[in-house]
Amino acid sequence: LALQVDGSLRRGEIEGGARVIAAHPSERLFALGDVRGSVHLLDAASGAVLRSFEAHAGEVLTALAWTADGRRLAVGCASGALR
């Protein structure tokens, strides 16, 4: 999986442009936020999508951050909401 400068993904597993990405503290997975308000958890080695969920329906995600222990992921969107 390769995130391009324009926000597109090399593999077509996730539709829409990618906006933000955050590496898990273990460096074994990444969280990727898209332009539709969804978060996708990807395996760092293979690029496979392990899980996807809607974080902020219909909003552009602007921030992702894992807690130091990797147990939680904070997700922010363009409206200023944080989950």
Side-chain angles (χ1 to χ4, degrees):
L1 177 73
L3 183 62
Q4 306 298 312
V5 173
D6 67 357
S8 64
L9 296 170
R10 183 181 292 172
R11 292 188 188 165
E13 295 181 30
I14 299 171
E15 292 183 26
R19 295 292 298 177
V20 290
I21 190 166
H24 187 270
S26 72
E27 299 181 358
R28 287 186 261 162
L29 62 106
F30 290 91
L32 183 132
D34 69 19
V35 297
R36 297 181 183 151
S38 295
V39 173
H40 310 278
L41 301 181
L42 294 89
D43 179 82
S46 69
V49 177
L50 304 174
R51 181 174 178 208
S52 295
F53 60 92
E54 195 172 88
H56 294 276
E59 295 206 41
V60 174
L61 298 184
T62 57
L64 293 173
W66 291 97
T67 57
D69 64 7
R71 297 177 80 180
R72 293 193 175 140
L73 177 68
V75 182
C77 67
S79 70
L82 181 67
R83 290 196 177 173

